[in-house]
Amino acid sequence: MRNRLLNAAERLLVKQGVDAIRLDAVAAEAGVSKGGLLYHFPTKLALVQGVVERLADRFEEVLPGPDAPPGAFARAWLDASIPADAPEGEAIASDSVPVALLAAANGPEVLDILQERYRTWQARLEQDGLPPGVATLVRMAVDGWWTARLLGLADPKGEDHRQLRRLLTELTEPAEPAEPTEPTEGVA
């Protein structure tokens, strides 16, 4: 029942935004009584916190552990967030994580959950084995893509989207070690 309610809240967030999260609307979307919803989530805040925690957990599941090769964490971050081709119209799977950002608009108690997760994820990005700042740049680009898509701020489409995705993917690839060069005769 708990997952059914969270699924309903998530669907409403993706389709209609934060304002759609009303206890009666979520209960109706889930096909349960408001009393049934209140048994699991006594307040709207508890429901929104549940959605954000579950989305963050789901996102965490696709991220590699600390023993992953260099760039793997940043690449997984990118792959879980920005599809290879620009999405058109309806919400897609990668929209579920930024839904947590929308939900965070419900106040500091919800934002705290997201801020704590981001601190942990940022620390892992910084230890991803890429040159300093690169994994953070990828994260910031992903966050910008989500924001542009969710708010309709001229998110890239078609070839522009694919080029952006290629550039970000290249950034997550560890640099090839330089081949040793032979000293040139007569050069000190």
Side-chain angles (χ1 to χ4, degrees):
M1 173 74 78
R2 183 176 167 82
N3 278 333
R4 188 168 157 188
L5 292 164
L6 291 172
N7 289 342
E10 206 174 305
R11 281 191 305 274
L12 288 173
L13 272 169
V14 170
K15 287 192 279 187
Q16 300 173 24
V18 174
D19 293 337
I21 301 301
R22 296 180 329 276
L23 296 180
D24 58 332
V26 173
E29 177 76 17
V32 302
S33 69
K34 188 171 177 182
L37 182 145
L38 291 171
Y39 176 79
H40 293 280
F41 300 101
T43 65
K44 176 181 174 179
L45 176 61
L47 176 62
V48 173
Q49 285 174 322
V51 169
V52 171
E53 287 172 353
R54 188 172 80 154
L55 289 170
D57 288 345
R58 192 181 301 149
F59 188 65
E60 181 76 30
E61 288 173 5
V62 302
L63 300 174
D67 296 336
F73 192 84
R75 172 70 66 84
W77 185 282
L78 174 61
D79 289 345
S81 305
I82 301 179
D85 288 312
E88 301 291 336
E90 289 296 309
I92 57 168
S94 65
D95 287 343
S96 65
V97 175
V99 164
L101 299 175
L102 285 175
N106 274 284
E109 300 90 350
V110 178
L111 186 57
D112 288 347
I113 295 167
L114 217 52
Q115 287 173 335
E116 180 58 36
R117 292 294 182 108
Y118 261 81
R119 280 190 287 276
T120 301
W121 292 332
Q122 181 60 35
R124 288 177 65 190
L125 282 163
E126 290 170 1
Q127 301 301 314
D128 198 26
L130 296 173
V134 171
T136 298
L137 177 64
V138 170
R139 180 184 72 83
M140 298 301 289
V142 166
D143 290 351
W145 185 86
W146 284 343
T147 302
R149 175 152 164 73
L150 289 174
L151 299 178
L153 302 175
D155 54 312
K157 304 286 186 207
E159 186 53 35
D160 288 341
H161 173 89
R162 287 185 290 280
Q163 180 63 22
L164 170 73
R165 184 70 164 70
R166 274 192 299 273
L167 290 169
L168 290 171
T169 299
E170 288 171 13
L171 287 173
T172 65
E173 295 169 357
E176 296 291 323
E179 301 219 4
T181 57
E182 295 292 321
T184 308
E185 287 186 41
V187 176

